[in-house]
Amino acid sequence: MLTKRNVVPETMRTTSRELRILRAGMDAPELISNCRVLTLLDHSSRELNHQLRTTLQGSQQPVLKLDEGDLRLTPVDFAYLLSRRLTNVLAGVSRAAVARLVIVYSPSWAGECRLPADAQRIRIAHRQIRDLLRIIYDQETAGQVQIIYGGFVFEEELADVLCDSNVDGVLMNK
């Protein structure tokens, strides 16, 4: 039976904050400070592209939050949504600049009702994000972008989520 203890965040509503990230093999979370969080579904692709490019030119750490909404999209639907939106948001962003980016996959559905297959769904979504970065840029650049899971995760499934090579960490509560 699943418990209510979780190790992941409150929602990321503010645009500037600090993030605590737990990575595989680490005892304590890593702190990333002075972040500017941009949410993919909150703005038009053109507006978000402008905000991302502006943030990349400044001193703030750019964090792009991906949320597929309240629905549990199939991997095919998620890949289509991701491809369409992320490609437009990253238009004109150089390889060197995108390597500074932190992507947080934080689906709204993750806080409502957890299903046994959700750890696999999380791993698939992270792989699809990394694969799209490989298509847009290249293998090396895709590997440099940090992709963090920012949704609800039970302690019991944390190791299962973190063992995937496409999941660079899990966002923690403060």
Side-chain angles (χ1 to χ4, degrees):
M1 179 172 178
L2 299 176
T3 66
K4 290 190 175 197
R5 292 176 26 191
N6 79 53
V7 292
V8 239
E10 67 279 3
T11 57
M12 297 169 44
R13 294 184 184 183
T14 58
T15 57
S16 183
R17 64 178 306 151
E18 293 181 340
L19 302 177
R20 289 179 50 208
I21 299 171
L22 182 63
R23 298 184 190 281
M26 292 181 64
D27 294 331
E30 172 188 342
L31 180 66
I32 298 178
S33 57
N34 194 25
C35 297
R36 174 137 191 236
V37 179
L38 307 167
T39 304
L40 187 61
L41 293 181
D42 282 355
H43 307 286
S44 73
S45 296
R46 175 178 276 173
E47 179 183 345
L48 198 56
N49 175 270
H50 175 73
Q51 290 178 10
L52 177 60
R53 291 170 74 160
T54 301
T55 303
L56 285 164
Q57 292 172 357
S59 62
Q60 286 184 306
Q61 171 65 53
V63 176
L64 184 60
K65 179 184 170 197
L66 301 178
D67 180 359
E68 62 194 80
D70 296 331
L71 302 175
R72 292 171 192 267
L73 298 177
T74 68
V76 172
D77 293 334
F78 178 72
Y80 174 75
L81 171 75
L82 178 69
S83 175
R84 196 183 65 206
R85 297 294 307 270
L86 192 57
T87 300
N88 291 333
V89 168
L90 295 177
V93 177
S94 71
R95 285 179 174 86
V98 83
R100 287 186 47 213
L101 185 63
V102 174
I103 295 177
V104 176
Y105 172 59
S106 184
S108 295
W109 55 258
E112 296 170 4
C113 176
R114 298 286 297 166
L115 300 175
D118 284 342
Q120 180 179 359
R121 183 182 300 269
I122 292 163
R123 291 191 306 272
I124 290 169
H126 280 251
R127 187 190 72 232
Q128 289 174 319
I129 294 166
R130 185 92 56 206
D131 287 347
L132 183 59
L133 291 170
R134 283 185 193 109
I135 292 167
I136 297 171
Y137 295 100
D138 56 41
Q139 177 78 25
E140 181 181 351
T141 304
Q144 292 171 339
V145 175
Q146 296 181 64
I147 306 174
I148 307 298
Y149 179 64
F152 185 87
V153 63
F154 290 101
E155 286 182 20
E156 297 81 19
E157 66 184 356
L158 183 61
D160 191 28
V161 171
L162 286 174
C163 75
D164 190 281
S165 63
N166 292 306
V167 179
D168 294 316
V170 172
L171 202 58
M172 303 291 291
N173 279 330
K174 286 191 171 196

